[in-house]
Amino acid sequence: MPAFSVVCYTLGMTSLRRLAGLTLLGVAGVIFARSSPAPEAPALASVAPGLREGALSDGAELADPRQPVYSSAILRWRSHAQERILGRDQGTEDAFGHVIPARRVALDEGQVPAPINGNGLGQFVPVENEAALAQFHAALDALVAHPDQKNKVRIAAYGASHTQADVYASYLRYYLQERFGNGGPGFFPLGMERGWSKHHFAIKSRGVDVEYVTSKGPPPHGRFGLSGSAAVTGPNGWIRITPRDGSDPELAASQYGLYYAAEPAGGELSVSVGVGAPQLLSARSETVEPRFQLFERQLGWHSVEVRGTGEGSTRLFGLSIERKQPGIVLDTLGIRGTRAATMLFWDRALWEEPLRQRAPDLVLLAYGTNETTDRSQPIEEYQASLERVLDKVRQALPGASCVLVGPGDFPKAQGNGWVTRPRLLEIIAVQRQLAPRFGCGFWDAYSFMGGAGSMVEWVRAHPRLGAMDHIHLTTRGYVRMGMALGDALLRAYDARHVPAYARVAVQRESERLGSAVRDSGVRAVAGSGSDSL
């Protein structure tokens, strides 16, 4: 258990497929060739080819924009990504796209009707303003066609607790790495735990203060770096990050990048990567500035330890863990309890410079749930702050693709029923309106879940997809969200690359969302009432 003293400003498969350069696509077994440089270490190479580059497929114009595009290979990749999180044969769908039946359960006395199959919940929702994904799709094409020139496709996923849980983001990471190659686990904020990644990397610390912003007011400073959090270590403080499984090829890495700040009162750092001698880094300068130090090792499983030495404290932002081989890198940058406007309080240079250095091809902004509880804030004020956030992102990354991931259903109990929060619908409307103005797409998680009252059904389902607090999702629920979001992000890409004859039609269960809620006497209607969490 990390010995963190938290300072919280409460303000308001692995194989050599790339060597062969072959991709099996669709039921017809269509094979495309692709070349790549030799892997770092053949025994550990882990790259899965994507789909073919370049021209439109023969059936590109036949794709229905309201439906995802699947081939047999895509369905297998989705199944593998589910298993990485839920376990073998425990996913919501199998490798053929079939919804897995729920196991029989004993019902509580008087429980009528029986819970519906949670594996069948959630529906495909396309990304609105899908043209905003053009840069992301072009980057995937470049990675497939010229991995010697475009070595990584990067994604930065910002958000609050839904994102920090790192489950839907991990699904996206595993799925995209299955298709396009494993570029490494990505950026680990040292001041904020990446939820699901704790199963792969153990992070321990002593003598470290964690700082981040959790609400709307201005903090004493904005020195929080790329993720919006910082780990401040004194002369005797230390942080150690270690892969839990030293035999899992997916966790092997060769490039470790330390992000930190140099300040007038900064100290010194001693950094050890693997068994090599520690390297001393100065964190002192006349002005506050971001710094970065890259450590390269042989591909393998290396522990990293950062110690504060000498006088003064040092502000650590994060550690990137990657490998030289081409592939996908997804950085999970969520902080529980935050709002989009939190980004406005981050020091611009300390945030913008490392963001530009990592150069994401796609930025996901998943906010809105916490803002739903800000009843005293006029919706016009929320819109103005979100405009400033999107402007800040666009100034930092003018050419990147951007998608606003809207909040899911977040009801409140009222009497014998559940009531949709009016402000939730207002926030969704604002996000939908602003996204295209800033060249972003919008993905409607509320509609994906099924709209008003759907969270009640997700909580009641078996297996359960919604958490009992009616705010968050279960691990399975977040996996389902990642699957739908991944399908939406790649719909247009796959429409161009998967030939019509290789496509697989998948019919999900057609249970009408909300029917079980109504049948059980639980109402889901719009109205007013307490918005408290």
Side-chain angles (χ1 to χ4, degrees):
M1 191 76 175
F4 281 170
S5 172
V6 179
V7 179
C8 179
Y9 297 117
T10 55
L11 308 165
M13 314 166 20
T14 301
S15 66
L16 301 181
R17 285 176 287 181
R18 186 182 290 273
L19 288 175
L22 299 177
T23 298
L24 179 61
L25 178 64
V27 293
V30 184
I31 296 178
F32 302 100
R34 139 184 176 184
S35 63
S36 72
E40 296 173 274
L44 297 175
S46 174
V47 177
L51 304 177
R52 75 170 178 178
E53 78 244 32
L56 292 172
S57 71
D58 295 338
E61 295 181 358
L62 302 178
D64 183 348
R66 298 166 299 178
Q67 298 295 329
V69 177
Y70 296 132
S71 69
S72 60
I74 289 173
L75 292 173
R76 287 196 301 274
W77 290 324
R78 293 167 83 248
S79 178
H80 293 161
Q82 292 178 75
E83 290 183 349
R84 289 288 303 277
I85 300 173
L86 299 175
R88 187 172 181 82
D89 298 326
Q90 298 298 315
T92 68
E93 295 179 12
D94 61 20
F96 302 97
H98 301 147
V99 173
I100 295 176
R103 296 176 179 175
R104 291 183 177 273
V105 293
L107 301 180
D108 296 334
E109 185 177 353
Q111 187 175 6
V112 178
I116 68 169
N117 180 9
N119 290 333
L121 293 175
Q123 56 193 8
F124 176 77
V125 173
V127 172
E128 299 175 26
N129 190 33
E130 199 172 37
L133 292 167
Q135 169 56 33
F136 175 52
H137 294 166
L140 293 175
D141 280 338
L143 176 66
V144 172
H146 306 290
D148 54 329
Q149 300 175 25
K150 177 63 174 176
N151 185 258
K152 298 288 189 297
V153 170
R154 299 183 181 275
I155 302 172
Y158 283 97
S161 56
H162 297 305
T163 301
Q164 187 198 349
D166 196 32
V167 180
Y168 84 78
S170 285
Y171 170 86
L172 290 174
R173 183 182 298 113
Y174 300 150
Y175 172 56
L176 293 171
Q177 288 179 349
E178 281 268 346
R179 293 186 62 167
F180 301 100
N182 184 349
F187 183 90
F188 284 80
L190 294 179
M192 183 60 55
E193 184 181 64
R194 243 175 60 172
W196 180 256
S197 296
K198 67 185 178 184
H199 296 285
H200 299 310
F201 291 88
I203 302 179
K204 298 182 178 180
S205 67
R206 179 174 296 172
V208 173
D209 292 336
V210 175
E211 299 180 351
Y212 61 97
V213 182
T214 63
S215 193
K216 299 179 293 182
H221 60 75
R223 302 192 295 275
F224 303 114
L226 177 68
S227 71
S229 66
V232 181
T233 176
N236 299 314
W238 55 266
I239 295 180
R240 183 185 303 120
I241 180 168
T242 306
R244 292 189 182 275
D245 186 350
S247 62
D248 184 350
E250 302 294 333
L251 304 184
S254 60
Q255 298 175 320
Y256 299 81
L258 182 65
Y259 292 80
Y260 62 104
E263 304 174 276
E268 275 194 338
L269 294 172
S270 173
V271 184
S272 301
V273 181
V275 296
Q279 181 174 336
L280 293 179
L281 301 175
S282 173
R284 180 165 297 184
S285 67
E286 294 183 359
T287 59
V288 178
E289 61 184 40
R291 288 191 178 175
F292 171 78
Q293 181 66 44
L294 180 65
F295 303 86
E296 297 197 80
R297 298 290 187 268
Q298 291 293 321
L299 185 65
W301 302 271
H302 305 288
S303 294
V304 178
E305 182 177 279
V306 183
R307 286 184 174 270
T309 62
E311 298 180 356
S313 60
T314 304
R315 191 171 297 277
L316 306 174
F317 297 137
L319 180 74
S320 62
I321 303 179
E322 301 183 12
R323 49 178 69 180
K324 291 181 181 178
Q325 71 182 52
I328 299 291
V329 176
L330 190 151
D331 296 337
T332 302
L333 305 169
I335 302 178
R336 59 182 175 269
T338 55
R339 293 150 171 80
T342 301
M343 300 177 74
L344 300 175
F345 304 123
W346 300 347
D347 181 273
R348 192 177 196 98
L350 293 180
W351 171 74
E352 192 172 273
E353 185 171 320
L355 182 65
R356 285 177 171 170
Q357 178 187 351
R358 294 197 66 71
D361 300 286
L362 171 64
V363 178
L364 301 177
L365 299 169
Y367 295 99
T369 299
N370 292 316
E371 289 91 332
T372 299
T373 67
D374 298 333
R375 291 179 299 159
S376 62
Q377 181 192 49
I379 195 65
E380 294 79 12
E381 182 180 319
Y382 166 75
Q383 177 171 333
S385 66
L386 185 57
E387 287 176 341
R388 292 172 59 199
V389 169
L390 294 175
D391 183 64
K392 184 175 184 177
V393 171
R394 272 291 167 234
Q395 288 188 35
L397 300 169
S401 290
C402 163
V403 173
L404 274 65
V405 178
D409 189 32
F410 176 22
K412 60 193 173 198
Q414 182 169 294
N416 295 325
W418 291 87
V419 178
T420 298
R421 301 168 188 261
R423 184 172 170 84
L424 175 69
L425 303 181
E426 293 176 337
I427 285 173
I428 292 172
V430 168
Q431 293 188 7
R432 175 175 278 118
Q433 173 190 349
L434 291 185
R437 281 180 47 189
F438 289 87
C440 298
F442 174 71
W443 189 71
D444 190 350
Y446 178 73
S447 293
F448 150 71
M449 290 183 66
S454 55
M455 177 61 84
V456 179
E457 192 167 43
W458 282 48
V459 172
R460 190 177 182 276
H462 177 78
R464 182 178 293 125
L465 269 64
M468 294 302 293
D469 63 8
H470 288 72
I471 304 170
H472 302 93
L473 305 181
T474 63
T475 298
R476 181 174 296 271
Y478 283 125
V479 168
R480 185 71 195 96
M481 173 182 170
M483 293 170 66
L485 179 56
D487 291 345
L489 291 174
L490 292 182
R491 192 215 66 82
Y493 180 87
D494 290 334
R496 288 195 300 118
H497 290 287
V498 181
Y501 56 81
R503 295 178 186 174
V504 177
V506 173
Q507 181 68 47
R508 287 187 58 80
E509 292 183 357
S510 59
E511 293 170 313
R512 181 179 177 85
L513 291 176
S515 60
V517 176
R518 289 191 298 272
D519 292 343
S520 62
V522 180
R523 296 178 298 108
V525 296
S528 59
S530 173
D531 280 336
S532 60
L533 288 171

